[in-house]
Protein backbone atom coordinates (compact mmCIF):
# COMPACT_ATOMS: atom_id res chain seq x y z
CA UNK A 1 0.00 0.00 0.00
CA UNK A 2 1.20 3.51 -0.76
CA UNK A 3 2.72 5.27 2.24
CA UNK A 4 1.05 8.61 2.98
CA UNK A 5 2.64 11.48 4.89
CA UNK A 6 0.79 14.52 6.22
CA UNK A 7 2.00 18.00 7.17
CA UNK A 8 -0.26 20.09 9.42
CA UNK A 9 0.18 23.27 11.45
CA UNK A 10 -2.84 23.45 13.74
CA UNK A 11 -5.84 21.59 15.03
CA UNK A 12 -5.72 18.88 12.37
CA UNK A 13 -9.42 18.47 11.60
CA UNK A 14 -8.67 17.45 8.01
CA UNK A 15 -6.03 15.09 9.36
CA UNK A 16 -8.70 13.54 11.58
CA UNK A 17 -10.94 13.04 8.53
CA UNK A 18 -8.04 11.29 6.79
CA UNK A 19 -7.37 9.12 9.86
CA UNK A 20 -11.01 8.05 10.00
CA UNK A 21 -11.03 7.21 6.27
CA UNK A 22 -7.76 5.28 6.71
CA UNK A 23 -9.23 3.21 9.54
CA UNK A 24 -12.17 2.38 7.28
CA UNK A 25 -9.81 1.31 4.48
CA UNK A 26 -10.93 4.14 2.20
CA UNK A 27 -7.55 5.80 1.52
CA UNK A 28 -6.07 2.91 -0.51
CA UNK A 29 -2.88 3.51 1.47
CA UNK A 30 -1.36 3.77 4.92
CA UNK A 31 -0.81 6.90 7.02
CA UNK A 32 2.82 6.58 8.11
CA UNK A 33 3.93 10.08 9.14
CA UNK A 34 2.49 13.35 10.46
CA UNK A 35 4.77 16.35 10.72
CA UNK A 36 4.13 19.87 11.98
CA UNK A 37 5.94 23.18 12.19
CA UNK A 38 4.39 23.73 15.65
CA UNK A 39 5.33 21.57 18.63
CA UNK A 40 1.96 22.10 20.32
CA UNK A 41 -0.19 21.44 17.24
CA UNK A 42 -3.28 19.39 18.02
CA UNK A 43 -2.56 17.50 14.80
CA UNK A 44 0.42 15.83 16.51
CA UNK A 45 -1.80 14.67 19.37
CA UNK A 46 -4.28 13.25 16.87
CA UNK A 47 -1.41 11.38 15.19
CA UNK A 48 -0.18 10.04 18.52
CA UNK A 49 -3.65 8.80 19.46
CA UNK A 50 -3.91 7.04 16.09
CA UNK A 51 -0.48 5.42 16.49
CA UNK A 52 1.06 7.31 13.57
CA UNK A 53 4.76 8.30 13.75
CA UNK A 54 4.96 12.07 14.14
CA UNK A 55 7.51 14.83 14.42
CA UNK A 56 7.70 18.54 15.18
CA UNK A 57 9.90 20.93 13.20
CA UNK A 58 9.43 24.43 14.67
CA UNK A 59 11.35 27.12 12.84
CA UNK A 60 12.98 28.16 16.13
CA UNK A 61 15.09 25.00 16.03
CA UNK A 62 16.68 25.89 12.72
CA UNK A 63 18.90 28.62 11.36
CA UNK A 64 16.64 29.21 8.35
CA UNK A 65 13.50 27.98 6.63
CA UNK A 66 15.76 26.19 4.18
CA UNK A 67 17.27 24.14 7.01
CA UNK A 68 13.80 23.49 8.42
CA UNK A 69 12.61 22.16 5.06
CA UNK A 70 15.71 19.99 4.71
CA UNK A 71 14.96 18.39 8.08
CA UNK A 72 11.32 17.78 7.14
CA UNK A 73 12.34 16.26 3.81
CA UNK A 74 14.93 14.00 5.43
CA UNK A 75 12.36 12.80 7.97
CA UNK A 76 9.72 12.12 5.30
CA UNK A 77 12.26 10.05 3.38
CA UNK A 78 13.17 8.12 6.53
CA UNK A 79 9.49 7.27 6.86
CA UNK A 80 9.49 6.19 3.18
CA UNK A 81 6.60 8.52 2.36
CA UNK A 82 5.34 8.11 -1.22
CA UNK A 83 2.69 10.84 -1.30
CA UNK A 84 2.53 14.01 0.79
CA UNK A 85 -0.77 15.54 1.89
CA UNK A 86 -0.94 19.09 3.29
CA UNK A 87 -3.70 19.42 5.86
CA UNK A 88 -3.74 22.96 7.15
CA UNK A 89 0.02 23.37 6.75
CA UNK A 90 0.45 27.12 6.95
CA UNK A 91 3.83 27.39 5.28
CA UNK A 92 4.30 27.81 1.54
CA UNK A 93 6.73 25.10 0.50
CA UNK A 94 9.71 26.38 -1.42
CA UNK A 95 10.50 25.65 -5.05
CA UNK A 96 13.56 23.72 -3.89
CA UNK A 97 11.54 21.50 -1.55
CA UNK A 98 8.99 20.69 -4.24
CA UNK A 99 11.71 19.88 -6.74
CA UNK A 100 13.62 17.70 -4.27
CA UNK A 101 10.75 15.69 -2.82
CA UNK A 102 9.91 14.04 -6.16
CA UNK A 103 6.57 12.62 -4.99
CA UNK A 104 3.01 13.94 -5.46
CA UNK A 105 2.05 16.71 -3.03
CA UNK A 106 -1.64 17.48 -2.45
CA UNK A 107 -3.40 20.38 -0.75
CA UNK A 108 -6.96 21.48 0.00
CA UNK A 109 -8.01 25.12 -0.24
CA UNK A 110 -11.27 26.69 1.03
CA UNK A 111 -12.47 28.18 -2.24
CA UNK A 112 -13.34 27.12 -5.75
CA UNK A 113 -9.95 27.76 -7.29
CA UNK A 114 -8.73 29.65 -9.21
CA UNK A 115 -10.93 32.12 -7.32
CA UNK A 116 -9.73 33.51 -3.99
CA UNK A 117 -6.24 32.12 -3.70
CA UNK A 118 -4.11 32.67 -0.62
CA UNK A 119 -5.15 33.53 2.92
CA UNK A 120 -8.68 34.34 4.12
CA UNK A 121 -10.37 32.84 1.08
CA UNK A 122 -13.74 32.80 2.84
CA UNK A 123 -13.50 36.50 3.65
CA UNK A 124 -12.47 37.18 0.06
CA UNK A 125 -15.57 35.33 -1.17
CA UNK A 126 -17.87 37.31 1.11
CA UNK A 127 -16.26 40.62 0.20
CA UNK A 128 -16.64 39.83 -3.50
CA UNK A 129 -20.29 38.90 -3.07
CA UNK A 130 -20.24 35.46 -4.70
CA UNK A 131 -23.25 33.20 -4.20
CA UNK A 132 -21.30 29.94 -4.33
CA UNK A 133 -17.98 29.10 -2.73
CA UNK A 134 -16.52 25.74 -1.75
CA UNK A 135 -13.25 23.84 -1.56
CA UNK A 136 -10.66 22.50 -3.97
CA UNK A 137 -8.20 19.59 -3.77
CA UNK A 138 -5.21 20.23 -6.01
CA UNK A 139 -1.68 19.15 -6.71
CA UNK A 140 0.86 21.54 -5.25
CA UNK A 141 3.15 23.33 -7.67
CA UNK A 142 5.52 26.25 -7.28
CA UNK A 143 2.73 28.86 -7.41
CA UNK A 144 0.22 29.92 -4.75
CA UNK A 145 -2.80 27.56 -4.84
CA UNK A 146 -2.19 27.22 -8.57
CA UNK A 147 -1.62 23.49 -9.13
CA UNK A 148 -3.82 21.19 -11.25
CA UNK A 149 -7.27 20.67 -9.75
CA UNK A 150 -8.21 17.14 -8.66
CA UNK A 151 -11.68 17.70 -7.16
CA UNK A 152 -14.02 20.45 -5.99
CA UNK A 153 -17.18 20.70 -3.92
CA UNK A 154 -19.50 23.70 -4.05
CA UNK A 155 -20.90 25.31 -0.90
CA UNK A 156 -23.64 27.97 -1.12
CA UNK A 157 -23.04 31.38 0.40
CA UNK A 158 -26.14 32.15 2.47
CA UNK A 159 -27.65 35.55 3.27
CA UNK A 160 -26.21 36.76 6.55
CA UNK A 161 -23.15 34.50 6.35
CA UNK A 162 -20.13 35.57 8.33
CA UNK A 163 -16.58 34.46 7.72
CA UNK A 164 -16.96 31.99 10.60
CA UNK A 165 -20.26 30.49 9.43
CA UNK A 166 -19.11 30.11 5.83
CA UNK A 167 -15.78 28.67 6.98
CA UNK A 168 -17.57 26.07 9.10
CA UNK A 169 -19.71 24.83 6.20
CA UNK A 170 -16.76 24.75 3.83
CA UNK A 171 -14.79 22.77 6.41
CA UNK A 172 -17.55 20.15 6.52
CA UNK A 173 -17.19 19.82 2.74
CA UNK A 174 -13.40 19.55 3.08
CA UNK A 175 -13.79 16.63 5.49
CA UNK A 176 -15.85 14.79 2.87
CA UNK A 177 -13.85 15.70 -0.20
CA UNK A 178 -10.24 15.42 0.93
CA UNK A 179 -10.19 11.75 1.97
CA UNK A 180 -12.09 10.82 -1.18
CA UNK A 181 -9.68 12.69 -3.46
CA UNK A 182 -6.61 11.36 -1.65
CA UNK A 183 -8.03 7.87 -2.10
CA UNK A 184 -8.38 8.45 -5.83
CA UNK A 185 -4.77 9.57 -6.19
CA UNK A 186 -3.34 6.84 -3.98
CA UNK A 187 -5.45 4.21 -5.71
CA UNK A 188 -4.32 5.25 -9.19
CA UNK A 189 -7.80 6.41 -10.16
CA UNK A 190 -6.79 9.68 -11.77
CA UNK A 191 -5.04 10.52 -15.02
CA UNK A 192 -3.10 13.76 -15.31
CA UNK A 193 -2.34 15.48 -18.60
CA UNK A 194 -0.71 18.81 -17.92
CA UNK A 195 -3.25 20.87 -15.98
CA UNK A 196 -6.11 18.50 -16.76
CA UNK A 197 -6.86 15.83 -14.12
CA UNK A 198 -9.46 13.18 -14.94
CA UNK A 199 -10.91 10.60 -12.57
CA UNK A 200 -10.81 7.12 -14.06
Amino acid sequence: MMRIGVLASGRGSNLQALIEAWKLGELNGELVAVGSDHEEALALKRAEEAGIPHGAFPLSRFSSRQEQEKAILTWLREQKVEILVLAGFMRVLSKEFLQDIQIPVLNIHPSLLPSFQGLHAQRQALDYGVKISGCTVHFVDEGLDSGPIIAQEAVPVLPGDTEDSLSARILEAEHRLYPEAVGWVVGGRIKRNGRIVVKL
Side-chain angles (χ1 to χ4, degrees):
M1 298 181 74
M2 188 173 284
R3 297 172 65 83
I4 305 167
V6 179
L7 293 180
S9 292
R11 60 188 176 182
S13 67
N14 270 312
L15 169 63
Q16 189 62 44
L18 292 166
I19 289 172
E20 291 170 8
W22 169 50
K23 289 180 176 178
L24 292 172
E26 296 173 353
L27 286 188
N28 299 308
E30 182 180 4
L31 287 173
V32 298
V34 174
S36 179
D37 55 341
H38 293 286
E39 288 181 292
E40 303 302 321
L42 180 55
L44 295 178
K45 183 173 178 60
R46 294 182 190 272
E48 182 178 13
E49 291 174 348
I52 303 168
H54 50 285
F57 303 88
L59 185 57
S60 59
R61 288 189 193 171
F62 303 94
S63 60
S64 65
R65 287 192 180 183
Q66 182 181 26
E67 292 302 312
Q68 180 194 37
E69 285 193 342
K70 283 182 180 178
I72 293 171
L73 183 58
T74 297
W75 183 73
L76 292 171
R77 286 175 171 160
E78 288 171 352
Q79 305 302 319
K80 298 181 173 58
V81 169
E82 297 171 288
I83 183 170
L84 179 60
V85 177
L86 307 182
F89 190 63
M90 301 307 292
R91 297 279 188 188
V92 176
L93 295 171
S94 70
K95 173 182 176 180
E96 291 74 21
F97 181 95
L98 294 172
Q99 288 176 343
D100 288 346
I101 194 167
Q102 296 184 335
I103 60 174
V105 182
L106 276 62
N107 185 44
I108 190 160
H109 183 74
S111 78
L112 295 177
L113 292 174
S115 297
F116 313 125
Q117 296 164 310
L119 295 175
H120 308 296
Q122 303 92 330
R123 185 189 306 166
Q124 292 183 60
L126 291 171
D127 289 347
Y128 201 88
V130 298
K131 307 307 179 188
I132 298 174
S133 187
C135 55
T136 302
V137 180
H138 63 96
F139 287 108
V140 176
D141 63 9
E142 296 170 9
L144 178 63
D145 300 321
S146 60
I149 291 170
I150 300 166
Q152 294 180 303
E153 182 171 333
V155 174
V157 179
L158 303 179
D161 255 338
T162 64
E163 185 177 0
D164 286 344
S165 64
L166 179 58
S167 297
R169 289 204 313 285
I170 291 176
L171 190 60
E172 290 177 3
E174 291 181 27
H175 294 167
R176 292 189 296 269
L177 186 66
Y178 212 6
E180 184 175 29
V182 170
W184 296 346
V185 176
V186 173
R189 296 181 59 196
I190 66 157
K191 180 179 180 181
R192 180 175 170 183
N193 182 15
R195 287 205 57 86
I196 306 303
V197 178
V198 179
K199 180 189 170 191
L200 300 177

